[in-house]
Amino acid sequence: MKRILILFLYILSGICVESFAQTLYNDSLNWIKANQELKSANYQQACSLYMELDKDMDTIYTEINSKKIEDLRKVYSINEVQLQKNMVQSKILELIAWIGITFIVLFIAFFFYIKKQNKRLIHSQEALNRAKGLAEESIRNKSLFLSNMSHEIKTPLNALSGFSEVLTMPGIDEATRQQCNDIIQLNSELLLKLLNDVIDISCLNVTNMKFNIKPCEVVELCQNVITTLGAIKQTEASISFETGLTSLELETDADRLQQMLINLLVNATKFTKQGSIVLRVEKIDDNTAQFSVTDTGCGIPLEKQGHIFERFEKLNEKAQGTGLGLSICLLIIKRLGGSIRIDSQYTDGARFVFVHPLKQEARS
């Protein structure tokens, strides 16, 4: 059995079988001799033979172990190469992963950069479009201004020239002379108002312009405005003032407030040939007063109501006026801390409403 086990180990270890058979034959002879010597009581010779057998077994085991060790070394060498290969592959995969992550981060950063640049470009384009629109509006306003000024100045100047010449003619009666004088006076006032409107529309845009704010009794001021316009009106419509207040004091620039009221009332007389024009004032709460000018004229179409406060905007291009009156009213009431609007619910003519604070807030 022991020899079969040794043969099996030889075969597994790859040692030559022929060499093993020779060794096995020699050992068998020695084994027989040793047993014979042991039976013959020749113990020394038997011990010598057994020791030689043991030596042969050690040799066989040594060869087997050497072969095994060599095989293990080869296997280890192969595993080490495979391990190094795996490590290299792992490092390559890790490098590829880092490159991929870096690329993704760069792509995201580039995407947001392009998005930010696009937003800036869009904002720049919008600013450019706004500037272009303002420039076009400025050119349009300039053209309208020159056109209006040419017409508005020419009309009263022709009247002044013509009726001044009539006054110098001999033989005219006193009634004709008085009529010519009234016409000259009216057209002189039109020219003065025209110049004042142009000055106002330029000055009111200056942010550091100071208003003369002080307490003002507005009920009395409104009555005086109605009296003044009643004397010079060029319409058959009645002009009246209505209020439930006996007095109302507010902090304002009296001249600017009077200018607003006159502009609104004169504007109403241009489009109200008959009927009535009513100025109203009321106190709507402890902090605010409300003024309104209501007429029974032709009214203002809805499509024009959103633009009526723009400069040079005229309801009727043939009507006398510069188209600056309502825009001046808007600028004045804003500086006084109020607001102005047209009442779109009123359909029997036109109604302009503006509110004014009773007390002016401190302004830096």
Side-chain angles (χ1 to χ4, degrees), residues 1 6 19 56 90 92 96 102-104 115 136 149 169 181 186 191 210 224 237 253 268 346 363-364:
M1 181 62 70
I6 294 172
S19 176
D56 289 339
S90 177
I92 291 174
I96 292 173
T102 303
F103 177 78
I104 293 172
K115 187 176 181 181
E136 292 175 350
M149 289 303 102
M169 294 175 61
N181 184 66
L186 176 61
L191 274 177
K210 303 298 183 182
N224 292 338
D253 185 318
Y346 180 73
R363 302 184 185 184
S364 57

Side-chain angles (χ1 to χ4, degrees), residues 171-219:
I172 62 172
D173 56 43
E174 186 62 27
T176 302
R177 187 184 299 278
Q178 183 62 41
Q179 184 180 8
C180 290
N181 184 66
D182 292 341
I183 293 174
I184 290 172
Q185 183 66 27
L186 176 61
N187 283 276
S188 297
E189 291 177 356
L190 286 176
L191 274 177
L192 182 60
K193 183 180 184 305
L194 175 63
L195 293 175
N196 286 335
D197 284 349
V198 173
I199 292 172
D200 284 339
I201 205 68
S202 60
C203 290
L204 286 174
N205 279 329
V206 181
T207 57
N208 59 357
M209 180 181 178
K210 303 298 183 182
F211 276 43
N212 184 21
I213 304 296
K214 59 183 179 181
C216 173
E217 212 299 300
V218 295
V219 173

Side-chain angles (χ1 to χ4, degrees), residues 12 61 100 105 108 138-139 144 165 175 273 296 312 327 334 338:
L12 290 178
Y61 279 117
V105 171
I108 294 173
S138 178
I139 294 172
L144 287 173
E165 186 176 349
K273 301 305 179 183
T296 57
F312 310 112
S327 61
K334 280 186 175 181

Side-chain angles (χ1 to χ4, degrees), residues 52-69:
E52 186 175 347
L53 287 171
D54 185 63
K55 183 178 181 182
D56 289 339
M57 293 298 294
D58 288 340
T59 302
I60 292 172
Y61 279 117
T62 301
E63 290 179 2
I64 292 173
N65 289 333
S66 298
K67 183 63 178 178
K68 282 292 183 180
I69 290 171

Side-chain angles (χ1 to χ4, degrees), residues 126-158:
E126 290 175 351
L128 181 62
N129 290 337
R130 286 194 297 269
K132 181 181 178 182
L134 290 174
E136 292 175 350
E137 182 68 16
S138 178
I139 294 172
R140 174 181 173 273
N141 287 341
K142 180 180 178 181
S143 299
L144 287 173
F145 177 76
L146 294 176
S147 175
N148 285 340
M149 289 303 102
S150 175
H151 172 72
E152 296 299 332
I153 292 176
K154 186 182 296 185
T155 300
L157 282 180
N158 287 338

Side-chain angles (χ1 to χ4, degrees), residues 36-55:
Q36 290 176 353
E37 293 292 339
L38 181 63
K39 290 178 179 181
S40 301
N42 192 357
Y43 298 114
Q44 184 174 1
Q45 187 64 31
C47 180
S48 176
L49 290 172
Y50 281 130
M51 289 179 65
E52 186 175 347
L53 287 171
D54 185 63
K55 183 178 181 182

Side-chain angles (χ1 to χ4, degrees), residues 290-316:
Q290 177 176 284
F291 298 78
S292 65
V293 174
T294 305
D295 64 58
T296 57
C298 61
I300 301 174
L302 286 174
E303 63 271 14
K304 285 195 172 185
Q305 290 184 8
H307 305 283
I308 200 67
F309 291 102
E310 296 178 3
R311 297 181 187 183
F312 310 112
E313 189 69 31
K314 298 175 68 174
L315 183 62
N316 184 356

